[in-house]
């Protein structure tokens, strides 16, 4: 199936590795011209030459408000058709005892850059009458993950923003969706598993086996499986999918 993305300009945030990297690669494989943003300013490892040729790496630290504002000015002047929002997770921790400063830092580092980048990208999308906004979230939006209250809370706010925005721009043929990963085999997941192992006194193998037992698919997801869903949501064929949250979690979320 041809997704109709050849020549479309895309910005993917957090694209040097992990879920953002997989999303950037999936878009480039479909013919999109991808600007891969990350703090390191590097492309994902192991790219095929034909995929790397459609990608360019840019260094951008979402915590640098001035740098984010400057990049927003760039994409207003030279519009993109696709934006994949992505951000790292805040420190793990319980709901009790979180300080005002901790909540402020989590919101300003996760949500505010997404809002700014999206507003900037939307100017060109609305003017052209076509665009795709995809935000990478977390299964914790639907079923809060124990010990990750800052992530659960801020990503929940982002979900409300995404749904509201979808209704505002749908008439301009701009879609706005979220993709909610479950346990996808990334460095971030390994970090969280290591924290869980340390706190429980178990070894990593036991923690991973326990987690896999809660997933109907019986395994962790692969980043490329996640990236494929992002690419589809950016496709011409997905033009009637907006305001949605798509789970990529092997069936682990069972609340709805």
């Amino acid at each position: 199936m041809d997704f109709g993305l050849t020549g479309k300009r895309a910005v993917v945030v957090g694209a040097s590795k992990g879920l953002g990297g997989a999303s950037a690669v999936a878009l480039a494989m479909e013919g999109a011209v991808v600007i891969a943003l990350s703090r390191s300013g590097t492309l994902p490892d192991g790219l095929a030459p034909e995929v790397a040729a459609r990608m360019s790496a840019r260094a951008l630290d979402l915590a640098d408000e001035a740098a984010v504002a400057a990049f927003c000015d760039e994409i207003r002047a030279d519009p993109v058709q696709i934006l994949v929002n992505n951000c790292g997770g805040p420190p793990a921790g319980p709901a009790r005892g979180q300080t005002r400063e901790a909540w402020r830092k989590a919101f300003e580092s996760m949500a505010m850059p997404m809002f700014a980048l999206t507003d900037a990208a939307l100017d060109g999308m609305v003017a052209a009458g076509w665009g795709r906004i995809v935000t990478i979230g977390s299964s914790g939006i639907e079923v809060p993950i124990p010990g990750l209250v800052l992530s659960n809370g801020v990503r929940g706010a982002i979900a409300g923003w995404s749904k509201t925005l979808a209704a505002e721009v749908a008439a301009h043929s701009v879609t706005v969706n979220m993709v909610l990963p479950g346990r996808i085999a990334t460095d971030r997941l390994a970090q969280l598993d290591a924290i869980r192992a340390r706190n429980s006194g178990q070894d990593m193998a036991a923690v991973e086996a326990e987690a896999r037992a809660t997933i109907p698919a019986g395994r962790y997801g692969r980043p490329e499986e996640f990236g494929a869903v992002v690419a589809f949501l950016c496709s011409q064929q997905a033009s009637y999918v907006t305001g949605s949250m798509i789970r990529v979690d092997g069936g682990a979320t069972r609340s709805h």
Side-chain angles (χ1 to χ4, degrees):
M1 181 184 294
D2 180 359
F3 282 177
L5 298 181
T6 299
K8 299 287 189 186
R9 297 184 70 237
V11 168
V12 182
V13 184
S16 63
K17 59 183 179 180
L19 301 179
S23 300
V25 169
L27 288 169
M29 290 176 66
E30 290 296 328
V33 179
V34 179
I35 303 168
L37 302 180
S38 66
R39 282 179 294 183
S40 65
T42 58
L43 293 177
D45 293 335
L47 296 177
E50 63 273 17
V51 175
R54 290 192 285 272
M55 299 177 70
S56 60
R58 287 281 301 273
L60 181 67
D61 185 348
L62 296 184
D64 186 336
E65 188 175 346
V68 171
F71 186 76
C72 286
D73 288 342
E74 286 188 37
I75 58 177
R76 283 192 172 97
D78 191 8
V80 299
Q81 292 78 53
I82 296 166
L83 172 64
V84 179
N85 284 313
N86 180 31
C87 65
R96 291 184 65 187
Q98 295 293 334
T99 66
R100 181 184 183 91
E101 179 65 9
W103 280 110
R104 185 191 66 76
K105 286 180 66 175
F107 191 82
E108 290 188 356
S109 66
M110 296 171 65
M112 293 304 295
M114 282 190 192
F115 298 167
L117 290 167
T118 301
D119 278 354
L122 278 170
D123 288 352
M125 293 179 185
V126 168
W130 196 95
R132 300 288 186 264
I133 305 290
V134 178
T135 298
I136 297 174
S138 165
S139 60
I141 291 171
E142 294 191 325
V143 180
I145 301 169
L148 293 181
V149 70
L150 295 174
S151 177
N152 295 336
V154 176
R155 292 190 198 279
I158 291 168
W161 161 82
S162 180
K163 182 70 170 177
T164 304
L165 179 62
E168 293 178 1
V169 299
H172 301 284
S173 297
V174 177
T175 66
V176 184
N177 293 290
M178 293 190 74
V179 186
L180 309 186
R183 300 186 71 81
I184 310 293
T186 62
D187 290 347
R188 170 68 171 170
L189 182 59
Q191 179 188 47
L192 294 174
D193 281 350
I195 293 171
R196 189 171 292 110
R198 185 170 64 248
N199 291 342
S200 66
Q202 298 174 288
D203 62 24
M204 282 285 285
V207 166
E208 291 171 357
E210 188 177 272
R212 286 195 298 271
T214 68
I215 303 169
R219 62 177 176 86
Y220 287 2
R222 297 187 297 274
E224 59 267 27
E225 293 175 307
F226 182 89
V229 175
V230 172
F232 173 72
L233 288 174
C234 295
S235 71
Q236 299 282 9
Q237 289 87 342
S239 59
Y240 204 56
V241 181
T242 195
S244 296
M245 293 193 295
I246 309 298
R247 302 175 190 146
V248 184
D249 65 358
T253 301
R254 310 185 202 191
S255 61
H256 299 289

